[in-house]
Amino acid sequence: MKLYHIGILDEREPILALRYALKDSVTEYREISYSNYVELNKGSNLHFEHYVITTIHEFNPDIIFIHAQSSDVLNDRLLLYLHQRNDIFKIGFSGDVREPLPNFYIKYGNHINLSLFTNDNDVEKCRSKGINSDFIHVGYDKEIYNTKGDVFENHPDIVFMGNNYGNHFPLSLDREKMVRFLHSNYGSNFVVYGSGWNTIIPYSKSLMFSHSEEAKAYRSSKIAINYSHFNYSRYSSDRLNRILGCGCFCLSHNYQNIEHDFIPNIDLDIFNNLDELKQKIDYYLQDEKLRKIIAKNGNKKIEQGYSYRNFAERIIRFYRESGIKKA
């Protein structure tokens, strides 16, 4: 089985675990990074589609895995070529969320076999436009986000990681209120990592693209907060996976249908408002035994079912279920 990966990886986000997982799931693997191609060509995507089409023609893959989150990656010529290759299973993926759903996902979806999203809302939007779409849970890198690495000395008990984008996304202001609330109530026992927080908490810093430091911070904390910019069905950023992967106890905002993947009070716990968040933080800081039991359950679940290995296995399953085979 051959797989061709068209991705948006770069030096800051090489997504090595995903690439290795895809490579290990097939007999032959090739990849092309749109981001690196543009950088090597001094900011131009000139002839990118020609390079990709030539590679597909020569490599003749069974699966084309397209990780694209902008309208630039697949131009009309490349989309037409993909549309005409009925012998190849073309699968698109985005772990990104935007409101409203950008039109290029609909355009792409009309030329590929399956569009995958990490939330049910975008799946339903695509299906309403006649696009074949499905849900897939975002993966995480088990080699980085695990329980075995280093920890910080004297780290605060409570941590939240995420950027402050003002009022850019539906829950952005709610996240800001939460950070202000936690800083006000817990002071130096709470730390936020991310950009845009300096006006609220001086000297806060971002660990974006510093994965080993992010994992170290989670391993050093007793409670990590999960709060995404959207309240979409089954949607969380990979922050949730990383928290659980590091063995930290997770308190998550009660996003729609979280129970489809994680059991509250068993794998993690949830909160619906800031008063409940404080109540549960105080409770779990006191009940160390229960906190550690839940953290261990969450770690076991995420390790067994939600890594990039599991993600790649799901991709292969989608291909086999499609019935598409080489002539």
Side-chain angles (χ1 to χ4, degrees):
M1 187 186 301
K2 300 180 182 180
L3 187 148
Y4 187 38
H5 177 190
I6 303 173
I8 50 175
L9 51 108
D10 57 28
E11 289 185 359
R12 294 191 306 172
E13 279 288 11
I15 325 179
L16 291 174
L18 171 60
R19 294 155 69 188
Y20 291 153
L22 291 173
K23 183 178 181 180
D24 290 345
S25 67
V26 294
T27 52
E28 295 186 55
Y29 171 88
R30 291 190 190 181
E31 64 181 21
I32 174 68
S33 165
Y34 176 82
S35 306
N36 288 344
Y37 184 95
V38 170
E39 182 177 348
L40 289 172
N41 286 275
K42 300 178 180 180
S44 171
N45 65 354
L46 187 65
H47 305 313
F48 174 76
E49 85 288 347
H50 176 76
Y51 181 90
V52 171
I53 291 171
T54 300
T55 302
I56 294 172
H57 182 75
E58 181 270 323
F59 184 47
N60 197 26
D62 300 280
I63 305 169
I64 297 178
F65 176 76
I66 305 162
H67 183 190
Q69 295 180 171
S70 76
S71 59
D72 302 325
V73 180
L74 308 179
N75 67 13
D76 289 344
R77 183 182 175 215
L78 180 50
L79 285 172
L80 178 60
Y81 179 80
L82 292 175
H83 189 92
Q84 293 171 339
R85 289 301 302 264
N86 296 323
D87 59 329
I88 299 174
F89 183 62
K90 290 91 59 177
I91 186 166
F93 165 72
S94 174
D96 201 18
V97 179
R98 293 290 181 267
E99 178 60 41
L101 180 70
N103 287 329
F104 70 83
Y105 286 119
I106 305 300
K107 182 178 181 179
Y108 287 3
N110 281 310
H111 297 280
I112 62 178
N113 300 100
L114 179 62
S115 297
L116 295 177
F117 298 93
T118 56
N119 69 89
D120 289 333
N121 296 47
D122 289 339
V123 170
E124 293 305 318
K125 290 173 186 175
C126 283
R127 288 177 176 175
S128 71
K129 300 290 186 180
I131 306 300
N132 187 31
S133 185
D134 214 325
F135 171 86
I136 191 168
H137 199 283
V138 67
Y140 80 104
D141 190 337
K142 291 174 64 173
E143 297 302 314
I144 298 174
Y145 297 95
N146 56 57
T147 61
K148 302 173 184 177
D150 296 334
V151 297
F152 292 115
E153 295 292 332
N154 302 315
H155 192 270
D157 289 337
I158 311 155
V159 63
F160 172 68
M161 297 199 197
N163 297 324
N164 183 8
Y165 295 112
N167 193 23
H168 192 70
F169 300 111
L171 298 185
S172 294
L173 290 182
D174 293 306
R175 294 204 330 177
E176 181 179 325
K177 289 178 183 177
M178 181 193 71
V179 169
R180 291 182 183 275
F181 178 84
L182 292 174
H183 179 57
S184 174
N185 279 275
Y186 296 101
S188 61
N189 202 29
F190 165 71
V191 61
V192 59
Y193 294 105
S195 62
W197 299 111
N198 284 326
T199 57
I200 300 173
I201 303 179
Y203 314 115
S204 62
K205 65 177 181 178
S206 174
L207 298 183
M208 183 174 285
F209 310 125
S210 302
H211 295 291
S212 60
E213 293 292 289
E214 182 179 338
K216 193 174 179 180
Y218 281 140
R219 283 192 293 265
S220 306
S221 305
K222 294 179 179 178
I223 296 175
I225 312 298
N226 176 52
Y227 204 144
S228 301
H229 283 293
F230 295 82
N231 184 8
Y232 276 11
S233 175
R234 297 183 74 183
Y235 172 71
S236 173
S237 70
D238 57 2
R239 175 191 307 107
L240 177 54
N241 294 18
R242 294 172 177 184
I243 291 170
L244 298 180
C246 291
C248 186
F249 172 82
C250 178
L251 267 176
S252 175
H253 72 125
N254 187 16
Y255 61 84
Q256 297 176 42
N257 295 318
I258 184 175
E259 67 278 1
H260 285 201
D261 300 289
F262 305 99
I263 305 173
N265 303 315
I266 300 295
D267 305 316
L268 42 64
D269 207 348
I270 56 177
F271 63 92
N272 293 283
N273 53 60
L274 296 182
D275 288 337
E276 186 178 16
L277 174 61
K278 183 178 186 304
Q279 176 187 351
K280 291 195 173 184
I281 287 175
D282 293 343
Y283 177 79
Y284 284 112
L285 285 179
Q286 289 293 320
D287 196 334
E288 181 177 2
K289 181 179 179 181
L290 179 58
R291 188 185 72 241
K292 288 185 174 181
I293 289 173
I294 294 175
K296 187 175 181 179
N297 291 340
N299 176 254
K300 182 178 180 180
K301 171 166 280 190
I302 211 76
E303 282 191 346
Q304 291 181 348
Y306 294 90
S307 72
Y308 276 126
R309 297 285 175 182
N310 303 109
F311 183 98
E313 289 172 1
R314 188 78 176 112
I315 296 299
I316 300 304
R317 196 176 309 130
F318 278 124
Y319 163 68
R320 296 191 187 282
E321 292 171 353
S322 73
I324 296 175
K325 294 182 179 179
K326 285 285 191 303

